[in-house]
Amino acid sequence: MDKDQEQERKQREELQGDDKYRQSLKRIKVATIALIIVIGLALSVNIGVNATSTNSFCSSCHMMTPQALTWEASSHSSIDCKDCHIKSGIEGKIEAKIGGLYELYHMVTDSYGTPIRMKELIPNENCQKCHNMGTRDVSASGDIIVDHLIHDEKEVFCVTCHAGVAHGKVSENRVTYRTDFDLWDEDLANHFMTDTKYVKPQMEKCMDCHELKQAPLTCETCHTTGMLPTDHKEKDFVTKQHGSLAEKDLLSCDSCHSYMSEKKIKELQEQKSYTKFLTTDPVDKSMTVQQYAKQNTFCSDCHSERPESHKSATYFLNHGKRVSENEQQCLTCHENDRYTQNTISNITCASCHPSGHNPNWEQRHPTPLSATQKFERTCLSCHVEETCTSCHVDANRKD
């Protein structure tokens, strides 16, 4: 090989080496740029995720004003929104951000619906980051005892009972419509977060669930004191006071005793729902204490027992006078009409007086009667003795 060919070969090798170098350099540049892009994207995503997970970002939307203000006024104001509303783990974050894009679309297109509600209940594990279910047995007041561990084992969501702890149930109360946003301020938020009916668990919720799940319904199940009012402890409460007190505020009595009855008192429930939404005086559809006592099976435990006054040998001879003096007291247990439903006593006026519901029955009697007519043996010329003497005492009978 001559010198020219050798020189040409060396030049080709040098050129090939330069090409490999340039290609390597190009790959390094591309890899560097790609790495920078990946790092940039990762930083951007991380910054974006963190930025969109802040309390200020959550409250920046106009439509979240009610939730933001009530949260600030709540006992959970020191807890970040994400700690409650985003499931733990990377899967929970991804799910939350995808859902956030969906919500962003509706906000930009102004197509979101109100009131705004969560699609899923807050999982118990989020609450248990701070709260130990194994040690939460007694309420702050000291009276209510609730075994939270049992509820957790039964997979009862914490927010089933504590739905208003952070936002005062504003969505449930339908005060978060578009027209409401501009009306919200700190005073309104404080109102919702200081009123116990919006924040604390309500007894109706507990009792409804216990009835459905066939859990215990006694007062002692949840209350250390038994919840017996002070006036119930007075010596003559049962014998003299409870009837007159019930006449003054029957709904107050029912707030506890309705849960002690084996059946619902439909008429009283209708009375509550009927009057709740009226701004004017409603038509009187109220239930009397006498009607209530005959339908609540809790009352029948005592009312079905014959009073001491009814046990004397001469009671039936004088019971007409007692009835005329206080008819309503008798009707607490008895009825005029034998066909009226009564859970306390099946003895009615009509059991002995077929026309007892007619105040002028004496005038309809086929033979004249005196104004002070009493049961006599002559009555048995028409009436059956067993029927009459089941109530009336035959003073002339010789046994």
Side-chain angles (χ1 to χ4, degrees):
M1 181 181 296
D2 58 21
K3 293 182 179 180
D4 292 336
Q5 290 177 336
E6 180 66 21
Q7 186 176 3
E8 183 178 349
R9 183 183 65 77
K10 289 182 178 180
Q11 288 177 352
R12 284 199 303 270
E13 289 178 354
E14 289 177 358
L15 289 174
Q16 289 176 353
D18 291 341
D19 288 340
K20 290 180 179 179
Y21 174 76
R22 284 193 293 270
Q23 289 176 2
S24 299
L25 185 61
K26 184 178 181 179
R27 284 196 292 270
I28 293 173
K29 289 182 178 179
V30 170
T32 303
I33 293 173
L35 180 61
I36 293 172
I37 292 174
V38 169
I39 294 173
L41 288 173
L43 290 174
S44 299
V45 169
N46 184 56
I47 293 172
V49 168
N50 291 332
T52 56
S53 300
T54 61
N55 301 330
S56 58
F57 179 83
C58 296
S59 60
S60 62
C61 295
H62 188 57
M63 60 184 175
M64 296 303 295
T65 299
Q67 285 82 357
L69 289 175
T70 49
W71 165 75
E72 290 176 355
S74 76
S75 60
H76 283 56
S77 58
S78 60
I79 308 300
D80 291 336
C81 303
K82 62 181 178 62
D83 291 336
C84 293
H85 292 281
I86 297 180
K87 296 178 183 178
S88 59
I90 186 65
E91 182 179 345
K93 289 184 179 180
I94 293 174
E95 181 181 333
K97 296 313 165 185
I98 293 175
L101 292 174
Y102 179 79
E103 294 166 1
L104 178 63
Y105 165 78
H106 283 291
M107 188 191 73
V108 173
T109 59
D110 196 28
S111 59
Y112 61 89
T114 55
I116 297 171
R117 297 177 182 272
M118 289 188 62
K119 295 181 180 179
E120 296 180 359
L121 295 178
I122 293 174
N124 286 357
E125 62 183 19
N126 285 13
C127 302
Q128 292 171 15
K129 294 174 184 176
C130 299
H131 302 290
N132 185 344
M133 297 297 99
T135 59
R136 296 185 65 80
D137 296 328
V138 183
S139 66
S141 64
D143 172 64
I144 300 177
I145 45 175
V146 179
D147 190 333
H148 285 69
L149 190 59
I150 289 179
H151 287 75
D152 185 44
E153 291 173 352
K154 297 292 184 181
E155 298 182 350
V156 178
F157 280 94
C158 298
V159 291
T160 300
C161 300
H162 300 283
V165 69
H167 301 293
K169 302 179 184 178
V170 291
S171 294
E172 292 87 335
N173 285 294
R174 297 183 177 275
V175 288
T176 59
Y177 287 102
R178 293 169 182 260
T179 53
D180 299 325
F181 296 154
D182 292 332
L183 302 177
W184 276 88
D185 55 22
E186 291 183 0
D187 291 337
L188 183 57
N190 286 328
H191 165 71
F192 272 89
M193 300 314 298
T194 54
D195 195 320
T196 56
K197 67 174 176 285
Y198 300 128
V199 181
K200 293 185 177 180
Q202 297 300 300
M203 183 175 176
E204 290 78 7
K205 173 78 76 173
C206 303
M207 299 304 287
D208 287 346
C209 186
H210 275 228
E211 285 182 323
L212 178 65
K213 304 293 185 180
Q214 297 183 340
L217 295 171
T218 60
C219 301
E220 293 77 13
T221 301
C222 302
H223 298 278
T224 58
T225 62
M227 294 297 288
L228 187 66
T230 303
D231 55 10
H232 287 42
K233 300 177 183 178
E234 296 180 10
K235 185 177 180 180
D236 60 351
F237 172 76
V238 173
T239 57
K240 295 182 180 180
Q241 296 184 33
H242 82 283
S244 57
L245 290 174
E247 289 180 347
K248 295 177 182 178
D249 192 0
L250 182 59
L251 293 181
S252 177
C253 300
D254 182 67
S255 64
C256 288
H257 291 296
S258 62
Y259 300 114
M260 302 174 187
S261 178
E262 295 178 359
K263 67 168 193 153
K264 294 289 185 182
I265 302 178
K266 180 180 178 182
E267 292 82 357
L268 197 64
Q269 298 301 319
E270 291 177 347
Q271 177 182 333
K272 293 177 183 178
S273 61
Y274 175 71
T275 58
K276 182 168 59 175
F277 301 105
L278 296 180
T279 55
T280 58
D281 293 335
V283 177
D284 186 12
K285 293 183 66 175
S286 59
M287 170 178 274
T288 66
V289 173
Q290 289 75 21
Q291 292 170 330
Y292 184 85
K294 281 179 276 195
Q295 294 194 45
N296 190 316
T297 58
F298 171 79
C299 302
S300 66
D301 290 343
C302 291
H303 284 252
S304 59
E305 296 181 6
R306 179 179 291 187
E308 290 297 323
S309 61
H310 288 41
K311 296 179 181 179
S312 65
T314 60
Y315 172 75
F316 287 108
L317 292 175
N318 302 317
H319 83 282
K321 181 180 179 181
R322 289 174 177 267
V323 172
S324 63
E325 291 174 349
N326 196 348
E327 179 180 352
Q328 292 302 314
Q329 184 176 4
C330 300
L331 293 178
T332 302
C333 297
H334 300 290
E335 294 281 359
N336 275 329
D337 184 358
R338 71 176 66 186
Y339 301 107
T340 302
Q341 184 181 7
N342 188 342
T343 61
I344 296 176
S345 173
N346 58 3
I347 299 176
T348 67
C349 300
S351 299
C352 302
H353 304 284
S355 301
H357 58 280
N358 185 347
N360 300 317
W361 72 273
E362 297 91 342
Q363 299 176 11
R364 300 173 56 190
H365 198 270
T367 59
L369 297 173
S370 67
T372 58
Q373 181 69 48
K374 301 294 183 181
F375 170 73
E376 298 177 353
R377 298 296 298 179
T378 55
C379 299
L380 301 181
S381 60
C382 295
H383 299 286
V384 178
E385 181 174 1
E386 286 78 6
T387 301
C388 298
T389 56
S390 63
C391 292
H392 294 280
V393 176
D394 185 359
N396 298 319
R397 183 172 178 174
K398 297 179 180 180
D399 297 326

